[in-house]
Each structure stands twice: as structure tokens, then as C-alpha cells.
Amino acid sequence: MKIAHLTATFPPNWTGAGNTCLNFARRQAAAGHEVEVFTASAPGEAPDAGGAVVHRYRPRVAIGNAPLIPAIARIDGVDVIHLHYPFIFGVELTLAGGLRHRDPALVVSYKNQLVGKGARRPLFWGYEQLWPRLLVHRADRVCVLSSEHAESVPYLRSLSRHAPEKVVEMPNGVDIDLFSPGPDSAGVRERFGIPEDAVVALFAATLDRAHHFKRLDLAIAAIAACNDERLHLLVAGGGELLDSYRRSAAAALGDRAHFAGAVPHGELPALMRATDFIILTTEPPESFGIVLIEAMACGLPAIATDYPGASAVVDADETGLLVPIGDLDAARRAVARMLELGEEGRRRMGAAGHAKCERTWAWPRLVERMEGVYEAAIEHHARGRPR
């Protein structure tokens, strides 16, 4: 097949959507498909995309993670367009390109709704009322991270009722060769001055305004509220909010807070192997949390917010602990519980998570499933195409 991936972000801009796109593109090219990626340019060293061709455009306009790339409307000669949503401007250009007589089949990987803070809130709300609704209506297949997440989004719920064949459950994937259990052989604890007997929580996320819902502030407060000197926090992630989080963490935790800054994706496993559990105190519109399955693949138990995406990943009291959204006291109790479990209890919980990753989220299985999605989308589109 000839496949075109459209994504607002792509490594070296390491976001969930971009990482997912890279893995699909690289592995689809290795399987013999002709794969092209259309995305915005980004600073940093680009990873190897295998046999996939990556077109990196300097946007005409860029508002946060929303690049305007007019070339998207001119994509032609492919069997399927795979759009990774959210992609402001990319959605509009894709739909405009679809007005051509013989457009390709369209597959959408739906990550999350757009929810803004402050002045962005009404703008994002207005956008959500129009463009993603048109997008999923036009799409031949819509991949959702979980059925629970699809039920939480009104227009996806409606699509599931009226055209259930178009909605496909397709979770994020994890490279279980890269993300695997092991010792702190990279000397991460020594580098950050973390005692060997410390119990270390890992928080990993992009720390910018577009990811305000990750709620690092809640994780810091929960760890501080435990008032236990054994607890340390290691934060991986960069962005314009990094300095303010450094200050608040220093005030709450002193020298028990450690910031690694922006970390290349390939170096994340080393941080995970140096920690004892992951904490993800995010809130909607988070839809899955790729870092959860990456940490679980490394054998870490998880503390996660109980929203539709995370509850599809974390099995409560088996692979991790779930806490209500925004509940500081519940988050504090969950952190205290991780302490009470001890090293052996955390290891058992982490081993259960690793086994689930191998069964459910290994990339080779997901790539094979996506091929079936493309074939169904192409067949559906051929039936509905004007002759």
C-alpha cells in the first residue's frame, strides 16, 4: 500500500502522537509498504525513520503545536491517508483536499479532545464543535485508544451508535525491546545524587501550556504531603513551564526533587530503570498516556488518574493504583501505599504490568492490526466513491 501519515508533531518533537506515527511509519516501511510522513520541522536530531520518507515543512503559521502546512491539501497518489488527531489546520487541509474527485481513503487515529485554559478555552471549544465532527464523519475508519474513551467524547459516541463498523479500538504501542526491566546500569541515581535506598517516583511529560492537563503540580503536592524523607521525585520533560515547576518542587521537596529536562525518547528506559514507580496525575483530555505503558514495560507499577484512558491501561491493585481526578488526598494515599508495598510488592505489581504490555501493546501486533484497518478503509471508500 501507499500510505501518507499526517501529524502535527513528529520526533525529535517527542509527543505521544508523533511517537506513535514514527513507530507505525517505520514498521510499515519495513513490511514493504510505501510510506510518507508529512509534518512540521522541529529542532533537534531526527531519529531514523527506516524506509519511510519524512517531509518536514517549515509552517506558514504555527500556533503552539498547530502548524499550517499547505502541502497537506495537495497529497495525491496514495491509497490511504492516516491523520493523527489533534492536528489543527491539518484537519481543515485534509478535508479540503478530499473535495477532489478521486481522493484516498481516510483513517484517523483519535488521541484526545482539544481543551484549553484561559483564553484558549473558548477557542478550542468552538473548534471541537465543528472540525473533528466533520473529520470523523468523513473518515472511513476512526481508531480510538479504548472503547471507554470513545464513549466519553460525544461525537465519537454518536459515530459508534450510527456507524459502529467505522470505529476501531487501537491502543498505543510500546517497543518492548527498548522498554524492558533492568538495573540502573546508566548510573542515573548517582548522576542526580539520589540515595540508593530512596524510593523514587518518576513523572514524565512535556511541560508546556499545550500539556497543562498533565498536573505535575498535583504529583509534587502528593509526594510532599507524605512527609517521608525516603521519597524522591524524578521529572523528565521540557517546555516553557519547566522553570516554574522547578521552583515549586524545590519549595515543597527541597533536594528530593530532581529534573532531567527534555529527555530523548531512547534515554527514557534508563530513567525508568532507576525509579520505583511512575506517577501520572493527569486529567482529561488525556486519553491514554503512552508513558504509562512504557514504564509498565520497564517493570514499574503505576499510580494513575482514574479516567477512561488510564483505566483501560492500569488494572487497579494488580498493575498499579488508580486515583480520582484532581484528588490530592487520594494521590497522597496512593504514594504512601507504594511505600508500604516495599520493594518486593512493587516488583510483583511491576511484573504483572510488564506481562500485560507483552500481551497487549507490543508494536508488531498493532502494525498487523492496522494493516487490516487500512484494507477495510480502502474497501469502504471504494464503495462510497462517486463513479
Side-chain angles (χ1 to χ4, degrees):
M1 284 180 279
K2 295 182 178 180
I3 304 162
H5 286 274
L6 314 184
T7 178
T9 58
F10 192 78
N13 187 351
W14 293 98
T15 63
N19 184 41
T20 297
C21 181
L22 171 63
N23 276 282
F24 273 123
R26 179 190 285 161
R27 295 165 192 271
Q28 288 163 349
H33 301 293
E34 295 182 37
V35 183
E36 296 180 83
V37 177
F38 296 80
T39 189
S41 56
E45 184 177 353
D48 179 17
V53 177
V54 182
H55 305 281
R56 301 177 186 272
Y57 296 92
R58 183 176 180 179
R60 295 281 183 87
V61 176
I63 304 172
N65 287 334
L68 175 60
I69 304 171
I72 286 174
R74 301 190 294 271
I75 294 173
D76 205 354
V78 300
D79 298 306
V80 60
I81 287 177
H82 185 161
L83 185 143
H84 299 259
Y85 184 85
F87 190 171
I88 294 176
F89 299 136
V91 172
E92 296 91 320
L93 291 167
T94 299
L95 294 176
L99 296 176
R100 296 190 308 268
H101 182 58
R102 296 182 66 82
D103 55 309
L106 176 61
V107 171
V108 174
S109 279
Y110 188 95
K111 299 298 183 181
N112 56 260
Q113 289 178 283
L114 288 166
V115 177
K117 291 183 72 176
R120 295 187 181 195
R121 184 182 295 274
L123 296 175
F124 283 4
W125 180 88
Y127 188 91
E128 280 283 323
Q129 301 312 302
L130 177 60
W131 291 109
R133 294 172 186 269
L134 292 175
L135 179 69
V136 301
H137 176 75
R138 157 64 183 85
D140 297 288
R141 288 295 184 271
V142 178
C143 297
V144 298
L145 296 171
S146 68
S147 57
E148 294 90 348
H149 179 237
E151 282 294 308
S152 72
V153 180
Y155 47 83
L156 292 182
R157 184 168 61 244
S158 176
L159 185 67
S160 298
R161 301 287 190 273
H162 295 98
E165 75 283 354
K166 289 177 62 172
V167 181
V168 182
E169 189 168 338
M170 183 71 65
N172 288 318
V174 62
D175 185 339
I176 58 174
D177 295 320
L178 177 62
F179 290 88
S180 59
D184 179 18
S185 56
V188 172
R189 290 199 177 207
E190 181 180 1
R191 189 197 327 163
F192 289 100
I194 301 173
E196 284 302 311
D197 60 350
V199 178
V200 186
L202 175 69
F203 185 99
T206 303
L207 305 177
D208 61 13
R209 285 190 295 271
H211 295 82
H212 62 88
F213 51 86
K214 296 292 185 177
R215 294 301 306 275
L216 173 55
D217 60 311
L218 189 60
I220 293 170
I223 291 170
C226 287
N227 198 28
D228 192 308
E229 292 297 314
R230 292 174 295 170
L231 276 169
H232 284 241
L233 173 65
L234 177 59
V235 179
E240 67 263 25
L241 302 181
L242 174 59
D243 288 340
S244 64
Y245 281 130
R246 282 185 192 272
R247 290 191 293 270
S248 59
L253 298 171
D255 60 3
R256 293 187 291 125
H258 315 273
F259 284 78
V263 177
H265 193 247
E267 296 178 16
L268 266 180
L271 298 188
M272 291 173 174
R273 294 180 189 123
T275 56
D276 296 283
F277 64 93
I278 186 167
I279 181 167
L280 191 67
T281 43
T282 188
E283 59 188 28
E286 181 72 87
S287 56
F288 191 87
I290 292 176
V291 72
L292 276 179
I293 60 174
E294 290 173 340
M296 288 165 62
C298 287
L300 294 186
I303 294 175
T305 308
D306 190 3
Y307 58 87
S311 60
V313 174
V314 178
D315 298 319
D317 300 318
E318 182 178 342
T319 64
L321 305 172
L322 293 171
V323 299
I325 295 170
D327 191 328
L328 172 59
D329 191 55
R332 177 196 61 78
R333 292 196 304 271
V335 173
R337 176 63 178 148
M338 283 294 178
L339 278 173
E340 293 168 3
L341 283 171
E343 184 176 350
E344 185 58 34
R346 291 190 295 270
R347 184 179 293 116
R348 284 196 301 270
M349 193 173 274
H354 176 74
K356 185 176 182 181
C357 286
E358 290 187 316
R359 292 192 310 269
T360 310
W361 300 304
W363 273 115
R365 296 185 182 185
L366 297 182
V367 171
E368 184 178 348
R369 286 173 57 187
M370 188 61 81
E371 286 189 6
V373 172
Y374 289 170
E375 290 167 358
I378 292 168
E379 181 182 352
H380 177 269
H381 192 66
R383 289 199 307 267
R385 178 185 293 158
R387 301 288 180 181

